[in-house]
Amino acid sequence: MIPLADRFGRVATDLRVSLTDRCNLRCTYCMPEEGLAWLPREQQLTDDEVNRLIRISVETLGIEDVRFTGGEPLLRRGLVGIVRAAAQLEPRPRLMLTTNGIGLERLAGPLREAGLDRVNVSLDTLDPARFTALTRRDRLADVLRGLEAAAAAGLTPVKINTVLMRGINDDEAPALLRFALDHGYQLRFIEQMPLDAQHQWDRHTMVTADEILADLEPYGLLPDPVSRGTAPAETWLVPGHVDAAGEPARVGVIGSVTRPFCGDCDRTRLTADGQVRNCLFATAESDLRKLLREGASDDQLAEAWRVAMSGKRAGHGIDDPAFLQPARPMSAIGG
Ligand code: SAM
């Protein structure tokens, strides 16, 4: 096994697989109201192609964690079968899913049965009117039912991902944490990144990790004694609370912009159309779909993947004056 190493000594063991660029929400900070020009079906990897690339990544390249994302991965028809195939690999990777939760009520059980280990559900507000304004869809109730179904199916710990935006939901950090604590979910705040299709992100107005932590001061958060390792979230203990498993309750902040963690990054990404990206913010991609459809062997695909990762830059460079936002928005990369 020759792993996915780069020039800076980092080794990728965590694969993010986007299963579709489509979504059933239109979050204002992610996609325009009319949606985007979706990938033509023939450009999207088939289920067999996705399964093959995941197999190569696990068997040949040392991938240990596979996270399915999108777009909205629950919209992918073959999702349960893809999860089942991944769960049969040796060594068995940990399998996760990032979803907006719509449809999870129906799919949580089958996904768990197929081998999914846990889910992250994105939820930016608990207020139904705000939810509708922010996502341009009246679906908060579906998301809340999806969260409950995930917990009931054992996709635990259920994590919630929240992006706070100034003047929109930046007053909700304490209430979201209260909600998560009451239900035994683990909450993670994610700093907003320059990955929106509309290119409206503004460094000066984004809500920072420091602000979020200041808002949570009444909870008396304590530093987490457990090492963060390569996890993107810095975590804190919430005194006086335990999670659904009886462990001390935690809250996390992913400070991608103001507290970057590129030096510890262990991720590699595969888009729904078969492009390897060595960073969320990469401006270049490596086309595995073309190689695969031209008849490349497993070894040739693995080697192309290694070459793609070896060129990973030291950091995402958001603060660099020459920073260029990638051509693809978050929904088409896989968040
Ligand atoms: N549809 C799925 C979901 O909602 O989780 C998966 C894809 S979505 C792009 C993944 C995550 O990226 C969501 O939690 C979303 O809030 C987050 N996201 C989207 N645009 C973002 C941005 N510009 N900065 C930070 N996070 C963003």
Side-chain angles (χ1 to χ4, degrees):
M1 201 269 300
I2 306 174
L4 292 170
D6 67 34
R7 292 171 292 151
F8 301 99
R10 295 168 298 190
V11 174
T13 55
D14 179 337
L15 168 63
R16 310 277 160 129
V17 184
S18 173
L19 294 177
T20 176
D21 59 337
R22 292 167 193 249
C23 192
N24 40 11
L25 296 181
R26 293 286 180 275
C27 298
T28 49
Y29 60 93
C30 191
M31 257 194 221
E33 184 155 22
E34 64 280 10
L36 295 166
W38 311 124
L39 281 174
R41 183 163 293 273
E42 66 278 8
Q43 286 181 23
Q44 189 170 288
L45 295 181
T46 64
D47 292 359
D48 285 346
E49 289 171 335
V50 172
N51 292 342
R52 181 174 174 206
L53 291 176
I54 295 175
R55 178 178 57 71
I56 292 170
S57 78
V58 170
E59 290 180 354
T60 313
L61 297 168
I63 290 297
E64 297 168 356
D65 293 295
V66 178
R67 175 175 294 279
F68 301 101
T69 180
E72 176 43 50
L74 296 187
L75 296 180
R76 174 90 183 209
R77 229 175 250 174
L79 173 64
V80 173
I82 291 172
V83 169
R84 181 169 291 117
Q88 282 159 8
L89 293 172
E90 285 289 335
R92 162 66 158 92
R94 285 179 289 268
L95 300 174
M96 282 79 78
L97 174 83
T98 299
T99 171
N100 63 29
I102 297 172
L104 199 52
E105 186 181 19
R106 180 175 59 84
L107 280 166
L111 284 168
R112 178 68 181 150
E113 181 271 327
L116 189 70
D117 293 306
R118 47 181 195 78
V119 289
N120 287 46
V121 177
S122 302
L123 177 64
D124 299 328
T125 176
L126 293 165
D127 178 278
R130 266 190 193 180
F131 185 94
T132 305
L134 221 156
T135 66
R136 304 191 179 102
R137 300 287 187 271
D138 181 11
R139 306 297 296 269
L140 176 61
D142 299 79
V143 179
L144 298 180
R145 285 201 301 270
L147 277 165
E148 280 170 26
L155 293 168
T156 48
V158 174
K159 296 188 181 173
I160 296 180
N161 291 351
T162 299
V163 179
L164 293 179
M165 282 145 296
R166 196 163 312 283
I168 296 177
N169 62 344
D170 57 340
D171 57 349
E172 268 193 80
L176 280 157
L177 181 53
R178 163 63 48 202
F179 169 80
L181 294 170
D182 286 350
H183 291 82
Y185 308 141
Q186 264 188 38
L187 180 61
R188 268 144 180 56
F189 293 97
I190 308 176
E191 279 183 345
Q192 194 182 0
M193 295 176 277
L195 287 168
D196 55 319
Q198 303 91 316
H199 290 228
Q200 282 166 356
W201 179 86
D202 181 350
R203 177 77 154 87
H204 306 289
T205 57
M206 61 164 282
V207 179
T208 64
D210 284 351
E211 287 177 80
I212 296 165
L213 290 168
D215 286 349
L216 298 180
E217 228 162 60
Y219 284 95
L221 303 184
L222 295 173
D224 192 337
V226 176
S227 154
R228 171 186 186 179
T230 57
E234 272 180 85
T235 51
W236 283 263
L237 300 182
V238 192
H241 296 271
V242 287
D243 68 13
E247 294 283 312
R250 292 181 158 83
V251 60
V253 178
I254 302 182
S256 320
V257 179
T258 65
R259 302 178 176 201
F261 37 87
C262 303
D264 292 320
C265 180
D266 65 351
R267 277 168 285 287
T268 180
R269 294 170 186 275
L270 182 66
T271 64
D273 55 344
Q275 311 297 306
V276 167
R277 297 178 62 89
N278 57 28
C279 171
L280 250 183
F281 295 94
T283 46
E285 301 180 336
S286 301
D287 192 351
L288 290 194
R289 185 192 68 218
K290 182 163 181 286
L291 284 178
L292 194 148
R293 291 186 183 171
E294 285 171 356
S297 65
D298 285 3
D299 283 347
Q300 286 168 326
L301 288 163
E303 188 51 26
W305 205 324
R306 283 188 203 104
V307 170
M309 293 307 295
S310 67
K312 183 172 173 128
R313 287 184 306 165
H316 58 42
I318 293 176
D319 283 329
D320 188 326
F323 174 74
L324 268 186
Q325 184 169 335
R328 288 194 202 233
M330 182 76 130
S331 61
I333 296 171

